[in-house]
């Protein structure tokens, strides 16, 4: 007897259909599995055999062959256990083959026959629907995320025995899954809670408006973290497409199954500086996504930037440019989306008080070492550099009403709309991405401004790269005022954000 069962495999955040073929024929009793299998998939043989046994089903003393097609795709993970078991049951005539047809099966089995959750169910189901599949049999613990895919008919089970019954009589009573006590919605952070730091807030608004990466330098306690945490709240709301994409990433990490809905807020991720390379950019044996991808469409905040391993930070260079990360291991490679707004914060020196020479105890040599922990190529990917001053007493205790995130967000949204309109024929969306070849077209200066920039170029000893960044940031500042042409005041403000960089890293080479 021969049967085919449909399942799916995750590659990055996309999925591919996989067909489990099961054949039982006369011959030497054996149980063989083929089809380019990784170690976990090869172990499925023992799990399936024992799980079936514990459900009271003894495999016949015949030749059992399982093939996972197509053979050119490497199969990893434990989600094939259930489809393999169903394929065998169907070949044995224990379940009704007609009831298996047209359904997709996903799930891990333990030795008792219980069905355990797997990662990536949301992309599997939503791609399945797109490819014309309607019915999905998934672990009960993954049911909630499977149901988030529009148009899917989902059957959730916690034990193999229940599935066998279902595939015989077709009766299904929808099980209620445990919805975790919905915690009282965490109070949404808001810029209204941030006193003072107008300069820093302004820089954040510019960063959010043109998606410019931003570095904040300032003493501990200046509010760098508090402000960064709130930047995600002033970015435009996620589109439906972005919500889907983000939710797929969280599903692949096994973080969607506990949620009641698709992710709807822009993420804010703030990994600790002791994070490993795989933790930050992704990797490990199953090439899982890292913090960088979990921050997709949102904010990646690196606090105490100088404390991160220099080699770890270097790995961010490519994805910050490409907006995706490609991970390669052995015979596999996957790509994850990674379009983030990078915010970074650091103290101005090892002791935290530079350039206040009354209090700073650092030697010139140790200062140099300190700043050298951030490489030039990484700094090149940061458009705006801003100094945070310690708060004054009035600012700290001030009762002045601060602008709310909502008010700021309305302005940012308007600025994004201007950019979408301007770049609708381009491959990029935001000012920070304007390639050098198009700077003249989008950031052209009039004669007076041109002469001024020439003068500043000489005076500050700028490099070409610095000059280009100033133009891009000035473009955003002009957009914030809905100005068609970049004007002197826009250039001046953009130059200010560069001079902070020059002050700490020395002129010219920034
Ligand atoms: Zn110091």
């Amino acid at each position: 007897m021969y049967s085919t069962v449909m399942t799916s495999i995750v590659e990055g955040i996309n999925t591919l259909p996989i067909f489990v073929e099961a054949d039982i024929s006369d011959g030497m009793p054996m149980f063989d599995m083929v089809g380019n299998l990784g170690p976990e998939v090869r172990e499925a043989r023992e799990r399936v055999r024992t799980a079936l046994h514990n459900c009271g089903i003894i495999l016949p003393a015949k030749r059992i062959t399982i093939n996972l097609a197509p053979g050119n795709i490497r199969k990893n993970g434990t989600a094939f256990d259930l489809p393999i078991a169903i394929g065998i049951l169907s070949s044995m005539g224990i379940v009704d083959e007609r009831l298996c047809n047209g359904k997709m099966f996903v799930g891990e089995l333990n030795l008792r026959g219980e069905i355990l959750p797997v990662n990536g169910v949301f992309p599997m189901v939503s791609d399945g629907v797109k490819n014309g599949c309607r019915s999905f049999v998934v672990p009960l613990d993954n049911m909630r995320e499977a149901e988030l895919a529009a148009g899917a008919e989902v059957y959730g089970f916690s034990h193999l025995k229940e599935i066998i019954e279902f595939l015989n009589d077709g009766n299904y009573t929808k099980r209620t899954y445990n919805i975790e006590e919905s915690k009282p919605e965490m109070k949404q952070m808001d810029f209204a809670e941030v006193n003072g730091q107008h300069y820093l807030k302004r820089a954040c608004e510019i960063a959010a408006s043109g998606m410019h990466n931003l570095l904040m330098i300032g003493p501990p306690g200046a509010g760098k973290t508090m402000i960064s945490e709130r930047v995600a709240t002033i970015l435009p709301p996620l589109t439906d497409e972005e919500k889907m994409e983000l939710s797929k990433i969280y599903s692949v990490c096994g973080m969607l199954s506990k949620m009641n809905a698709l992710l709807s807020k822009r993420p804010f991720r703030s990994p600790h500086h002791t994070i490993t390379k795989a933790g930050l950019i992704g990797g490990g044996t199953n090439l899982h996504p890292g913090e960088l991808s979990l921050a997709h469409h949102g904010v990646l905040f690196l606090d105490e930037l100088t404390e991160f391993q220099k080699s770890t930070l270097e790995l961010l260079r490519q994805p910050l440019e490409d907006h995706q990360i490609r991970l390669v291991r052995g015979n596999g490679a996957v790509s994850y989306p990674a379009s983030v707004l990078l915010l970074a914060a650091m103290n101005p020196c090892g002791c935290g008080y530079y350039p206040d020479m009354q209090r700073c105890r650092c030697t010139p040599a140790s200062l140099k070492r300190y700043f050298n922990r951030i490489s030039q190529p990484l700094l090149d990917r940061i458009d705006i550099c801003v100094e945070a001053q310690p708060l004054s007493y009035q600012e700290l205790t001030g009762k002045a009403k601060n602008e709310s995130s909502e008010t700021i967000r309305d302005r940012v949204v308007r600025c994004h709309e201007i950019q979408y309109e301007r770049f609708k024929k381009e491959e990029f969306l935001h000012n920070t991405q304007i390639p050098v070849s198009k700077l003249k077209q989008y950031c052209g200066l009039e004669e007076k401004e041109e002469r001024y920039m020439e003068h500043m170029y000489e005076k500050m000893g700028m490099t070409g790269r610095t000059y280009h960044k100033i133009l891009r940031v000035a473009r955003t500042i002009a957009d914030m005022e809905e100005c068609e042409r970049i004007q002197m005041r826009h250039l001046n403000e953009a130059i200010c954000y560069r001079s902070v960089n020059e002050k700490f890293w020395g002129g010219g080479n920034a």
Side-chain angles (χ1 to χ4, degrees):
M1 274 289 279
Y2 166 89
S3 71
T4 310
V5 171
M6 188 171 35
T7 182
S8 176
I9 189 170
V10 182
E11 296 249 309
I13 61 162
N14 300 312
T15 66
L16 296 165
I18 298 285
F19 296 92
V20 178
E21 299 177 294
D23 182 81
I24 301 182
S25 50
D26 292 333
M28 272 266 284
M30 57 181 282
F31 187 160
D32 238 354
M33 288 192 13
V34 294
N36 200 354
L37 311 180
E40 294 145 339
V41 188
R42 267 180 261 139
E43 290 166 358
R45 187 171 57 178
E46 299 312 317
R47 282 194 298 272
V48 170
R49 190 210 305 270
T50 316
L52 287 172
H53 184 266
N54 287 330
C55 291
I57 295 156
I58 310 293
L59 293 182
K62 291 189 173 182
R63 189 186 176 106
I64 302 173
T65 313
I66 303 288
N67 177 37
L68 271 59
N72 60 349
I73 300 167
R74 180 78 171 168
K75 323 291 185 310
N76 286 308
T78 52
F80 299 111
D81 293 3
L82 179 62
I84 291 171
I86 300 299
I88 293 173
L89 290 168
S90 176
S91 291
M92 288 169 70
I94 292 177
V95 297
D96 189 342
E97 198 189 342
R98 286 166 304 174
L99 286 174
C100 301
N101 286 343
K103 290 191 177 67
M104 182 184 279
F105 294 83
V106 186
E108 178 180 336
L109 290 174
N110 71 8
L111 299 186
R112 286 197 297 199
E114 288 162 341
I115 299 165
L116 308 180
V118 294
N119 292 350
V121 168
F122 175 64
M124 287 181 193
V125 175
S126 59
D127 285 0
V129 172
K130 236 182 273 166
N131 295 332
C133 182
R134 284 278 165 269
S135 309
F136 300 85
V137 177
V138 302
L140 190 64
D141 288 342
N142 290 125
M143 192 167 165
R144 202 177 336 175
E145 66 172 296
E147 286 184 326
L148 297 177
E153 191 180 301
V154 182
Y155 303 95
F157 296 98
S158 57
H159 201 285
L160 186 56
K161 276 184 183 163
E162 300 161 11
I163 301 188
I164 296 173
E165 277 170 34
F166 167 63
L167 292 175
N168 272 311
D169 54 23
N171 291 335
Y172 177 72
T173 14
K174 186 167 170 174
R175 290 266 299 271
T176 46
Y177 35 81
N178 302 327
I179 294 184
E180 284 186 6
E181 302 245 327
S182 53
K183 297 180 197 105
E185 179 93 352
M186 272 235 295
K187 199 171 163 287
Q188 174 89 19
M189 292 191 211
D190 201 294
F191 261 97
E193 298 146 0
V194 184
N195 288 344
Q197 295 296 9
H198 301 288
Y199 188 52
L200 203 52
K201 284 191 210 165
R202 165 83 182 163
C204 285
E205 185 176 338
I206 298 171
S209 296
M211 296 305 272
H212 301 283
N213 296 327
L214 170 95
L215 172 63
M216 291 167 267
I217 304 176
K224 296 174 299 220
T225 308
M226 189 178 180
I227 287 183
S228 302
E229 283 170 347
R230 285 158 177 78
V231 170
T233 65
I234 60 169
L235 290 170
L238 287 172
T239 64
D240 287 345
E241 208 173 310
E242 288 170 336
K243 285 180 196 169
M244 288 278 283
E245 199 179 21
L246 193 59
S247 301
K248 284 180 180 178
I249 298 173
Y250 279 70
S251 174
V252 169
C253 290
M255 293 162 75
L256 190 65
S257 52
K258 298 234 159 42
M259 300 187 192
N260 286 321
L262 292 183
L263 280 96
S264 58
K265 286 198 190 112
R266 293 201 182 254
F268 170 80
R269 305 293 300 185
S270 156
H272 190 254
H273 58 72
T274 53
I275 193 167
T276 60
K277 288 175 185 156
L280 185 63
I281 66 154
T285 43
N286 283 327
L287 295 178
H288 57 77
E291 288 290 331
L292 177 65
S293 294
L294 292 175
H296 182 51
H297 292 316
V299 173
L300 178 67
F301 176 52
L302 303 181
D303 200 4
E304 302 191 46
L305 189 65
T306 50
E307 301 299 313
F308 282 80
Q309 285 269 332
K310 200 170 176 178
S311 55
T312 307
L313 289 182
E314 291 305 289
L315 296 172
L316 290 174
R317 281 162 45 185
Q318 204 55 43
L320 284 178
E321 208 103 304
D322 299 344
H323 298 277
Q324 61 165 337
I325 174 84
R326 189 174 155 78
L327 305 170
V328 182
R329 177 186 56 96
N331 46 11
V334 297
S335 294
Y336 291 112
S339 180
V340 302
L341 178 61
L342 176 72
L343 301 183
M346 59 188 272
N347 290 335
C349 70
C351 76
Y353 293 114
Y354 181 82
D356 180 350
M357 293 328 257
Q358 305 280 315
R359 299 169 78 184
C360 177
R361 300 180 305 273
C362 302
T363 63
S366 74
L367 277 176
K368 193 167 163 47
R369 256 200 321 277
Y370 182 77
F371 285 105
N372 274 343
R373 288 194 212 158
I374 312 296
S375 79
Q376 195 54 50
L378 183 65
L379 283 175
D380 283 341
R381 281 155 184 83
I382 295 174
D383 289 351
I384 300 177
C385 194
V386 61
E387 254 185 295
Q389 305 295 345
L391 282 179
S392 68
Y393 182 78
Q394 277 84 0
E395 281 177 326
L396 189 67
T397 56
K399 299 279 187 299
K401 197 154 165 32
N402 302 307
E403 262 189 324
S404 71
S405 289
E406 201 184 338
T407 314
I408 306 172
R409 188 177 59 220
D410 287 345
R411 291 196 299 263
V412 173
V413 168
R414 176 73 198 118
C415 202
H416 278 239
E417 282 166 0
I418 293 173
Q419 293 168 72
Y420 296 152
E421 179 60 28
R422 182 193 304 135
F423 301 137
K424 64 186 169 196
K425 293 208 177 79
E426 301 285 358
E427 283 177 357
F428 52 91
L429 294 172
H430 302 109
N431 290 336
T432 185
Q433 294 163 291
I434 304 175
V436 175
S437 59
K438 305 231 158 149
L439 277 172
K440 250 208 147 51
Q441 183 185 346
Y442 293 118
C443 308
L445 300 178
E446 306 226 321
E447 209 191 320
K448 188 174 78 173
E449 286 78 17
E450 184 89 59
R451 271 207 313 276
Y452 175 69
M453 280 306 281
E454 189 181 344
H455 168 72
M456 291 310 286
Y457 188 88
E458 307 277 319
K459 189 177 156 202
M460 288 173 69
M462 283 182 209
T463 59
R465 208 174 246 136
T466 313
Y467 176 74
H468 297 145
K469 281 198 236 187
I470 289 173
L471 285 184
R472 293 187 190 108
V473 174
R475 176 72 267 165
T476 301
I477 299 170
D479 287 343
M480 290 164 77
E481 293 178 13
E482 305 197 22
C483 273
E484 187 99 0
R485 308 290 308 182
I486 297 177
Q487 293 170 12
M488 207 68 107
R489 62 178 183 282
H490 309 137
L491 290 171
N492 260 324
E493 189 175 355
I495 288 171
C496 279
Y497 299 124
R498 285 322 290 173
S499 35
V500 175
N501 192 313
E502 320 270 297
K503 171 171 154 191
F504 289 94
W505 277 275
N509 54 359

